Amino acid sequence: MNISLEYFLIVAQEQSISRGAERAMVSQQDMSNHIRRLEKQYGRLFDRRPKFALTPAGQAVLDTYLQVRMLERSLTERLQNLKESTAGTIRLGLHIARARILLPKILERFSAQYPGVNLEVTHGDTAVFEQLLEQGDLHLFLGINPTIHSSFMGSSVGREPVYLIAAEKLLNQCFPNSSVPDTLSPDQLQKLPLIFSPTVSTTQLQISDFFQRQQLNLHPKVTVGDFDLQLRLAIQGIGCCFCPNMHLSEVRQFLSPNAPVLRRLTVTGLELWNDVKIVRNKRMYHPHYLDVFESILEQEARIALSL
């Protein structure tokens, strides 16, 4: 591993030498020295003004280094697989809420067949997984509405509706003089306290785009990325949240017999569907056990989407 190129990769990702140095836990001067060393060899790699960004030469170095880095890792894994075909490590990208639903069943089945294969799970969102897969830091990920790059191959698991979830008692408080239909108008939506995901969420970006097109200025009461926590807050009547269908199966696990009634609603003009896919990097080496793992992941994800 070339340490200067690794530092260059970090700076390119952070778009800042100071943030890159902080992430790499080195001094800013040390980081700058590594970048200058590379620039003597390859030319200017970053523009500092008006905005810190890669130059064309910097982009070329980045693209090439990512390919070399991935090929080196694939070679190491392939040689290891020649020595022991039933041992290794799978690096999976999976949202933490989906991991709680899928991983126990996946690991029960997969570990019975391949006890010598370890699993490293990275939590995040689809955009994060795409970057990590491109860099060779993941073998595969389960994402929604992913961008399929030329080096990726994706298999569709299914389409997943996203609903607005609200406690009946909250709806009665916000609309005391009328019954609430299963489909709300945008004007009715403005009267409800909302629980949002962070703006980096793929689903939240779709929702925010709809609000902008409707010229609605909605301010969330709570912003939190964990769907489990969003549902718990919705049950308490703190607000209502947009929830993918897979996560609704979790509601039954923490609803007591005396829990408030939850309503599953839609919004006029807001068509929210997640295209759920498993994505792999076709340039990476794929041992047989990875194919088995992907098959089990697809089966369990399809079951969870159908509940």
Side-chain angles (χ1 to χ4, degrees):
M1 179 179 69
N2 186 309
I3 189 64
S4 292
L5 284 170
E6 281 295 307
Y7 284 167
F8 161 73
L9 174 60
I10 292 173
V11 171
Q13 291 171 344
E14 296 294 332
Q15 296 185 324
S16 166
I17 290 179
S18 60
R19 289 197 300 270
E22 182 178 355
R23 176 175 153 188
M25 294 185 290
V26 298
S27 69
Q28 188 170 336
Q29 183 61 50
D30 191 24
M31 181 66 80
S32 296
N33 289 340
H34 280 280
I35 299 301
R36 277 197 293 269
R37 193 174 301 132
L38 290 175
E39 289 185 325
K40 286 182 180 179
Q41 182 176 0
Y42 299 118
R44 186 163 52 87
L45 300 177
F46 296 102
D47 284 326
R48 271 68 172 179
R49 292 183 177 83
K51 181 181 178 182
F52 193 92
L54 286 165
T55 64
Q59 187 65 56
V61 172
L62 176 63
D63 293 343
T64 303
Y65 179 58
L66 287 176
Q67 293 180 42
V68 171
R69 189 170 178 262
M70 182 174 57
L71 289 172
E72 287 180 342
R73 176 170 279 178
S74 292
L75 175 60
T76 300
E77 293 177 352
R78 189 164 192 167
L79 293 174
Q80 179 183 348
N81 192 245
L82 289 174
K83 296 178 182 178
E84 179 54 75
S85 61
T86 58
T89 299
I90 294 174
R91 298 185 299 277
L92 169 69
L94 189 62
H95 191 283
I96 189 169
R98 296 185 190 274
R100 278 195 293 265
I101 298 168
L102 298 174
L103 279 186
K105 296 177 181 178
I106 291 172
L107 288 175
E108 181 181 10
R109 295 175 57 187
F110 181 76
S111 296
Q113 298 181 56
Y114 293 94
V117 177
N118 301 318
L119 179 66
E120 293 180 1
V121 182
T122 297
H123 299 307
D125 200 72
T126 300
V128 174
F129 298 153
E130 289 174 352
Q131 183 181 43
L132 293 175
L133 189 67
E134 183 72 20
Q135 295 170 187
D137 292 327
L138 293 178
H139 287 107
L140 74 169
F141 69 82
L142 181 72
I144 60 173
N145 309 321
T147 301
I148 305 300
H149 302 281
S150 59
S151 59
F152 292 177
M153 53 184 179
S155 59
S156 180
V157 175
R159 297 188 74 224
E160 173 188 44
V162 179
Y163 297 104
L164 180 67
I165 305 300
E168 185 74 43
K169 66 177 182 180
L170 176 64
L171 296 175
N172 292 335
Q173 292 170 5
C174 295
F175 305 99
N177 300 318
S178 61
S179 60
V180 180
D182 290 335
T183 299
L184 301 180
S185 69
D187 288 338
Q188 289 174 313
L189 185 63
Q190 290 189 95
K191 299 179 181 180
L192 294 172
L194 296 173
I195 303 168
F196 276 2
S197 294
T199 53
V200 295
S201 162
T202 306
T203 301
Q204 186 60 52
L205 289 174
Q206 297 178 68
I207 296 168
S208 298
D209 179 65
F210 171 77
F211 289 156
Q212 289 179 0
R213 286 187 280 107
Q214 295 291 324
Q215 297 182 337
L216 300 176
N217 294 317
L218 300 181
H219 301 286
K221 187 176 184 66
V222 180
T223 300
V224 60
D226 189 332
F227 287 121
D228 184 10
L229 182 54
Q230 288 185 14
L231 284 169
R232 290 176 184 271
L233 294 175
I235 290 170
Q236 293 177 5
I238 302 298
C240 51
C241 65
F242 288 93
C243 185
N245 190 59
M246 182 186 291
H247 305 300
L248 295 181
S249 63
E250 282 196 299
V251 175
R252 304 186 189 96
Q253 299 179 19
F254 51 78
L255 275 182
S256 66
N258 299 322
V261 176
L262 286 181
R263 292 277 302 277
R264 189 173 66 177
L265 308 170
T266 57
V267 179
T268 302
L270 179 57
E271 295 289 335
L272 279 179
W273 288 86
N274 289 332
D275 185 11
V276 183
K277 288 187 175 182
I278 297 172
V279 184
R280 288 166 58 166
N281 192 322
K282 59 188 177 185
R283 295 174 181 170
M284 294 182 68
Y285 172 65
H286 296 135
H288 173 68
Y289 58 73
L290 185 59
D291 294 328
V292 175
F293 182 87
E294 180 180 357
S295 177
I296 295 174
L297 170 61
E298 181 177 348
Q299 292 168 22
E300 293 298 337
R302 287 184 185 276
I303 292 171
L305 287 176
S306 66
L307 295 178

